[in-house]
């Protein structure tokens, strides 16, 4: 992310340069990580899957009993104002809502005004070179908490998991809980078996990426079977193809896991055909589904 300090951001109803934005040390986001966030991709200054992001944000807020401080329309207006002020055409909008400011006490105080922060930065998508070769990943036990479904700003587990891959020069850490694939530190994970795209079931242990339903749509469009079911570690290591998905990565092929090539025969260690078709479909969806 290219983040210029003079970039405008939004904090609690005010638009101001990022360098001047300050929150209280008693903000429960700072004290407890008591808040949620969203990351929305922007292509050509248009918001991709905006309503899906709003729906997930509402689900996260509901699970934490934080009231949504804005209507859909006021979110749209607010975010569009910042997007218009950014020099880059393609951006990533970051929205954070915390429970607000209060004296430190674990119990959720009643009637707090949530803290609202929004910033946007230039999007840095994976390079053509990275897409061509695919990325390396490592595997690890999923040692995070059991509420991965909440898009919580408490991301220490994800930070530790991501650093493990960074230390190995890898792009992501694929996580397994009791031997079953959950997700990666900042992406969802998909495998291809016999031409079908498989993903772990939605549930408490996985963040439901906006690409979960989007990939289901794209699979339908291009005639690829799509199935959510528990995926064992051996299924990942023996898959024909493995992919990551996230707002920034879109869909990205994984070609090495723990130093071994992904796939079979001549395709071993190379991005596969299912990835290629879904990537093309994704590029078309960006044009159609942005507002
Ligand atoms: C833990 C985790 N899982 C999955 C995802 C993918 O979600 P999305 O496709 O909405 O970006 C993310 C995105 O940042 C993430 O942090």
């Amino acid at each position: 992310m290219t983040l210029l300090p003079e970039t405008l951001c939004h904090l609690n109803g005010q638009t101001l340069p990022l360098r001047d934005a300050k929150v209280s040390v008693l903000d429960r986001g700072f004290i407890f990580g008591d808040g949620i966030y969203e990351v929305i991709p922007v292509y050509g200054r248009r918001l991709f899957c905006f309503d899906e992001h709003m729906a997930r944000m509402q689900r996260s807020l509901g699970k934490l009993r934080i009231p949504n401080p804005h209507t859909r329309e006021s979110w749209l207006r607010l975010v569009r104002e910042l997007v218009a002020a950014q020099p880059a055409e393609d951006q990533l909008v970051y929205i954070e809502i915390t429970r607000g400011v209060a004296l430190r006490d674990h119990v959720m105080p009643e009637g707090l005004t949530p803290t609202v922060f929004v910033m946007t930065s230039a999007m840095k998508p994976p390079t053509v070179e990275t897409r061509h070769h695919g990325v390396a990943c490592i595997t690890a036990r999923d040692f995070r908490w059991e509420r991965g479904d909440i898009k919580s700003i408490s991301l220490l587990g994800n930070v530790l998991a991501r650093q493990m891959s960074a230390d190995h020069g890898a792009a992501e850490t694929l996580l397994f809980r009791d031997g079953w694939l959950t997700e990666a530190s900042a992406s969802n994970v998909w495998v291809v078996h016999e031409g079908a795209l498989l993903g772990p079931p939605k549930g408490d242990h996985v963040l439901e990426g906006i690409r979960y339903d989007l990939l289901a749509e794209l699979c339908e469009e291009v005639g690829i079977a799509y199935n959510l079911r528990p995926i064992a570690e051996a299924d990942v290591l023996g898959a024909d193809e493995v992919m990551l998905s996230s707002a920034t990565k879109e869909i990205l092929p994984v070609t090495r896991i723990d130093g071994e090539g992904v796939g079979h025969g001549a395709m071993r260690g190379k991005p596969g055909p299912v990835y290629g078709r879904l990537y093309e479909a994704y590029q078309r969806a960006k044009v159609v589904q942005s507002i």
Side-chain angles (χ1 to χ4, degrees), residues 76-154:
L76 189 57
R77 208 174 322 117
L78 190 164
V79 168
R80 277 181 170 160
E81 257 178 50
L82 286 184
V83 165
Q86 241 289 343
E89 289 278 306
D90 294 351
Q91 306 174 25
L92 276 184
V93 173
Y94 175 86
I95 301 177
E96 176 169 326
I97 303 167
T98 76
R99 195 177 304 281
V101 179
L103 285 177
R104 189 180 180 281
D105 179 356
H106 287 61
V107 175
M108 300 173 182
E110 296 282 333
L112 287 192
T113 303
T115 299
V116 176
F117 172 62
V118 186
M119 65 179 168
T120 173
S121 54
M123 183 183 306
K124 252 174 75 188
T127 61
V128 175
E129 182 79 355
T130 302
R131 294 205 167 280
H132 181 73
H133 292 290
V135 295
C137 290
I138 62 161
T139 59
R141 182 174 60 83
D142 192 345
F143 51 82
R144 304 168 305 156
W145 73 325
E146 304 219 356
R147 292 307 304 275
D149 59 315
I150 301 170
K151 203 161 169 64
S152 158
I153 59 168
S154 314

Side-chain angles (χ1 to χ4, degrees), residues 37 39 53 56 144 151 158 183-188 207-211 245-248:
Y37 74 107
V39 177
H53 281 281
R56 181 172 67 186
R144 304 168 305 156
K151 203 161 169 64
N158 301 62
E183 56 183 345
S185 74
S187 348
N188 291 117
L207 180 76
E208 185 184 332
I210 299 305
R211 273 127 286 277
S245 71
S246 78
T248 15

